[in-house]
């Protein structure tokens, strides 16, 4: 397995609509612990335009290490209550995941760590 070097461009990508932000604070703290040894990086958060998503982005600003850059991508998703694993919800997931990965490519990231919003990674996950 490769070791991430300080000169490499690293990004964490996550994506969630307002209905999937229930573990956000804990997830962010866990991710911050896992990336704390890196000098800098990008955090790409793809989400909806809800009040809950805006609050999640603000929380992210207070928790990430100082040299990290935050990129928030907001999508117009009027209703995120589609039934899980059905066509409409899969389209939403594809839209928000795809835009996060596209942003990482645009930033020319060498590594991307995709973390779902309800996954609590261990501090040594990276």
């Amino acid at each position: 397995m490769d070791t991430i070097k300080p000169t490499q461009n690293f990004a964490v990508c996550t994506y969630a609509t307002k209905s999937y932000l229930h573990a956000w604070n804990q997830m962010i703290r866990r991710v911050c612990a896992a990336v704390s040894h890196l000098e800098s990086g990008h955090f790409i958060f793809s989400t909806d335009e809800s009040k809950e998503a805006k609050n999640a982005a603000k929380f992210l600003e207070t928790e990430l290490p100082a040299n990290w850059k935050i990129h928030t991508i907001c999508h117009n998703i009027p209703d995120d209550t589609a039934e899980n694993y059905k066509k409409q919800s899969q389209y939403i997931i594809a839209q928000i995941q795809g835009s996060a990965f596209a942003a990482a490519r645009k930033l020319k990231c060498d590594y991307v760590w995709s973390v779902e919003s309800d996954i609590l990674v261990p501090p040594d996950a990276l």
Side-chain angles (χ1 to χ4, degrees), residues 18 20 42 51 57 75 83 91 112 119:
K18 66 182 175 184
Y20 293 91
H42 299 277
K51 176 184 70 164
H75 296 272
E83 186 178 353
Y91 284 142
V112 172
I119 300 298

Side-chain angles (χ1 to χ4, degrees), residues 20-109:
Y20 293 91
L21 291 168
H22 52 273
W24 182 256
N25 292 6
Q26 296 84 354
M27 185 274 285
I28 292 302
R29 288 185 178 122
R30 296 279 191 102
V31 167
C32 288
V35 302
S36 64
H37 66 285
L38 299 176
E39 290 179 21
S40 64
H42 299 277
F43 194 103
I44 302 168
F45 175 35
S46 184
T47 188
D48 58 20
E49 297 174 331
S50 68
K51 176 184 70 164
E52 293 85 351
K54 289 176 182 155
N55 289 338
K58 285 180 185 173
F59 181 77
L60 182 57
E61 292 172 10
T62 67
E63 296 295 316
L64 271 178
N67 290 336
W68 279 66
K69 294 180 181 151
I70 300 169
H71 310 271
T72 303
I73 304 165
C74 295
H75 296 272
N76 181 9
I77 302 172
D79 180 20
D80 74 339
T81 60
E83 186 178 353
N84 288 340
Y85 306 107
K86 298 295 181 186
K87 189 182 279 188
Q88 185 59 34
S89 63
Q90 295 305 106
Y91 284 142
I92 292 170
I93 292 167
Q95 177 185 14
I96 62 179
Q97 279 184 337
S99 66
F101 297 145
R105 285 191 299 275
K106 188 174 181 179
L107 291 165
K108 299 188 183 323
C109 291

